[in-house]
Amino acid sequence: MSKTATLEIEGKKYEFPISVGTENEMSIDISKLRDLSGAITMDQGYKNTGACKSEITFLDGEEGILHYRGYSIEELAAKGNFLEVSYLLIFGELPTASQLQSFETDIRKYTLVNEEMKNIIDGFPKTAHPMGVLASLTSALTAFNPKAVDPNNKEELYTAVCKTMGKFLVIATWTYRKTMGYPLNYYDNTLGYVENFMNLMFKLPTEPYKANPVITQALDKLFILHADHEQNCSTSTVRMVGSSHAGLFASISAGVSALWGPLHGGANQAVLEMLEEINANGGDAAKYMDKAKDKNDPFRLMGFGHRVYKNFDPRAKIIKVAADEVLGTLGVNDPILDIAKKLEALALSDEYFVSRKLYPNVDFYSGIIYRALGIPTDMFTVMFAIGRLPGWIAQWKEMRENKEPIGRPRQIYTGSPLRSFVEVDKR
Ligand code: ACO
């Protein structure tokens, strides 16, 4: 028998169907609520609101579980590579060896970016933040690829996926090259995707360059850990923008902007800046803990807390181990890491943090690894965007394939009641 929920408003009862997901999460379908009762629900920040049904990612914040298409993040990070995880997220299954090879080859067909894009980059000041430039360049790709993708045409959709994976990586690295005043590099189709990232970023025309495999492997893992996280702020933005049938590049550009904020992906840059500040001020982690707890102080411990994870962030656990390994292998001795460990230990035994279930999130350790790998601080959030790209694509694709309606929340108006216009000389 199907389950229902009963809601009583001013003595009148309404029944709503309950649906249950694969992992027993329960939702009450209130899509008829307003028609039946005239009322809407109010849920600022969408803490209790499901916006879609999705087959892509499962996460259980209470238990610290994260699965992509049914595979645990621990297993994918240990055994998979970024392109095969991207394929899994976007197309639903792990690729066979030949599907994976074709995917890589097909992405390579679209790694050249129109040379005119360079004129657009030249219009930005060198001091522009790479995330702002990336959002603009992603949007600009629409101008060079104006044909809207038909989500019902499998071939067209596949090409759009490969194009996005290819071009986004290149323009993401160009945002850094621009800040450095270096010539913009081209993708090298003889190398792998993550190795190309390193080349695009760091290769100079004056000398040969070979990416350190320890670094490319660590980055590959980091990209996997960031690849999707169900209906977070940037992904919901991508789905929302795409629900108006805006194109893939336009939707992803909006996702980049959403990710940039310090409460979301921008936290990885904010974490490192915070750790540097603590270090510069004598390394007193306890003093900053007190600041974070002081309600009259706007300071928050960046990299702590998560909207959904109220136990621990499984990605943070994996990254913490990877950070120790990578820093050990590269022989990096970083005082910043010691401060991070001190902060973590203090927070994990502090009543304020424990009672509010505030644990280190994915961004707490990712910045430390990026720094050890030689990635500049203001590129950290761009790194997140490169990792999150397949998730955004998968979610946009699913939303269009499911023919979801345009996203359009309601509101409760709290402004002035109707009043008469007053002529300017009488105000
Ligand atoms: N430092 C100090 N106090 C905190 C922190 C923090 N980092 N995070 C939450 N709190 C406190 C709040 O002040 C609040 O306290 P109160 O109940 O006494 O008022 C309580 O914990 C609950 O916090 P909310 O802001 O209501 O929690 P929410 O789920 O809305 O926010 C968020 C989650 C935005 C991630 C928050 O924890 C935060 O700002 N963290 C720091 C930024 C950060 O690391 N963001 C990255 C998130 S991961 C990602 O996007 C990839």
Side-chain angles (χ1 to χ4, degrees):
M1 213 178 73
S2 57
K3 290 185 189 164
T4 57
T6 307
L7 177 68
E8 190 173 326
I9 306 175
E10 293 172 343
K12 219 170 156 197
K13 287 188 177 167
Y14 304 92
E15 296 253 309
F16 299 99
I18 288 181
S19 67
V20 179
T22 314
E23 302 281 352
N24 293 324
E25 330 99 278
M26 197 189 283
S27 75
I28 303 164
D29 178 354
I30 51 109
S31 50
K32 300 250 176 330
L33 173 65
R34 189 169 177 278
D35 283 348
L36 294 174
S37 70
I40 61 166
T41 56
M42 179 59 66
D43 184 23
Q44 282 191 341
Y46 309 122
K47 290 190 179 190
N48 305 280
T49 298
C52 61
K53 289 186 176 173
S54 178
E55 296 180 358
I56 301 170
T57 290
F58 169 70
L59 79 83
D60 180 333
E62 279 70 35
E63 298 297 323
I65 292 172
L66 175 61
H67 298 166
Y68 298 163
R69 302 274 188 192
Y71 297 98
S72 79
I73 192 65
E74 288 79 10
E75 211 177 358
L76 290 170
K79 299 179 185 166
N81 70 47
F82 180 57
L83 276 194
E84 69 184 332
V85 170
S86 301
Y87 188 100
L88 169 72
L89 284 167
I90 298 168
F91 300 109
E93 294 296 336
L94 283 169
T96 62
S98 78
Q99 281 170 331
L100 182 58
Q101 204 187 0
S102 304
F103 188 45
E104 190 155 19
T105 308
D106 294 333
I107 289 172
R108 285 177 179 148
K109 290 180 192 157
Y110 302 103
T111 48
L112 268 181
V113 173
N114 194 306
E115 288 288 306
E116 286 184 52
M117 286 281 283
K118 291 183 177 173
N119 299 331
I120 300 176
I121 299 183
D122 281 342
F124 285 98
K126 258 174 89 172
T127 47
H129 193 284
M131 282 297 276
V133 181
L134 180 59
S136 305
L137 292 183
T138 310
S139 193
L141 284 175
T142 316
F144 296 96
N145 302 269
K147 192 179 175 314
V149 185
D150 174 2
N152 301 311
N153 181 329
K154 277 201 164 23
E155 220 169 287
E156 220 174 281
L157 195 58
Y158 179 75
T159 303
V161 168
C162 295
K163 218 180 238 187
T164 311
M165 289 292 293
K167 293 185 194 299
F168 189 82
L169 183 75
V170 176
I171 58 172
T173 62
W174 281 4
T175 63
Y176 164 68
R177 302 288 290 196
K178 163 77 189 177
T179 60
M180 299 301 289
Y182 292 153
L184 305 180
N185 279 337
Y186 294 93
Y187 197 97
D188 179 344
N189 281 351
T190 65
L191 302 174
Y193 194 80
V194 180
E195 209 178 351
N196 254 297
F197 165 78
M198 293 299 287
N199 268 32
L200 284 158
M201 284 282 289
F202 299 117
K203 189 170 185 250
L204 297 175
T206 43
E207 54 194 78
Y209 178 82
K210 171 96 186 77
N212 180 341
V214 174
I215 295 182
T216 51
Q217 276 162 26
L219 282 182
D220 198 285
K221 192 178 287 214
L222 281 167
F223 288 150
I224 291 173
L225 294 174
H226 286 88
D228 195 50
H229 212 232
E230 51 115 300
Q231 306 312 314
N232 56 83
C233 177
S234 58
T235 302
S236 301
T237 301
V238 169
R239 279 184 97 120
M240 173 71 101
V241 173
S243 77
S244 74
H245 293 195
L248 184 54
F249 290 135
S251 307
I252 286 174
S253 163
V256 171
S257 296
L259 186 73
W260 189 5
L263 297 190
H264 189 16
N268 57 12
Q269 175 173 343
V271 168
L272 208 94
E273 286 166 353
M274 174 188 78
L275 294 173
E276 276 169 348
E277 187 192 317
I278 299 175
N279 191 36
N281 288 322
D284 188 352
K287 186 175 111 192
Y288 283 83
M289 285 288 296
D290 289 342
K291 270 168 76 64
K293 293 190 284 183
D294 181 355
K295 291 287 171 206
N296 297 318
D297 190 326
F299 176 79
R300 277 194 166 195
L301 210 52
M302 299 314 286
F304 274 80
H306 196 275
R307 169 55 63 79
V308 185
Y309 291 122
K310 301 299 178 194
N311 179 335
F312 63 90
D313 181 338
R315 303 166 301 172
K317 267 194 171 177
I318 301 170
I319 293 187
K320 186 181 177 185
V321 174
D324 277 338
E325 273 169 23
V326 171
L327 269 61
T329 313
L330 296 176
V332 175
N333 207 344
D334 193 344
I336 293 289
L337 184 65
D338 298 332
I339 293 173
K341 285 187 169 161
K342 234 188 268 175
L343 271 181
E344 185 186 4
L346 284 172
L348 292 180
S349 58
D350 188 287
E351 199 277 328
Y352 175 97
F353 282 83
V354 173
S355 64
R356 287 171 181 76
K357 302 188 167 128
L358 302 171
Y359 295 89
N361 58 47
V362 68
D363 289 325
F364 190 63
Y365 280 103
S366 61
I368 293 164
I369 304 199
Y370 289 143
R371 178 177 146 110
L373 303 186
I375 311 285
T377 311
D378 62 3
M379 279 297 285
F380 288 3
T381 316
V382 173
M383 302 299 290
F384 194 153
I386 294 170
R388 183 54 54 87
L389 181 67
W392 287 334
I393 297 173
Q395 301 270 355
W396 184 94
K397 176 174 170 285
E398 181 181 72
M399 180 272 307
R400 291 301 308 272
E401 285 173 345
N402 288 350
K403 299 191 173 29
E404 284 175 20
I406 185 168
R408 204 307 186 180
R410 290 267 177 181
Q411 64 162 22
I412 293 294
Y413 176 68
T414 57
S416 166
L418 183 65
R419 46 186 169 160
S420 295
F421 184 82
V422 181
E423 300 301 332
V424 70
D425 56 334
K426 303 208 174 70
R427 280 174 224 158

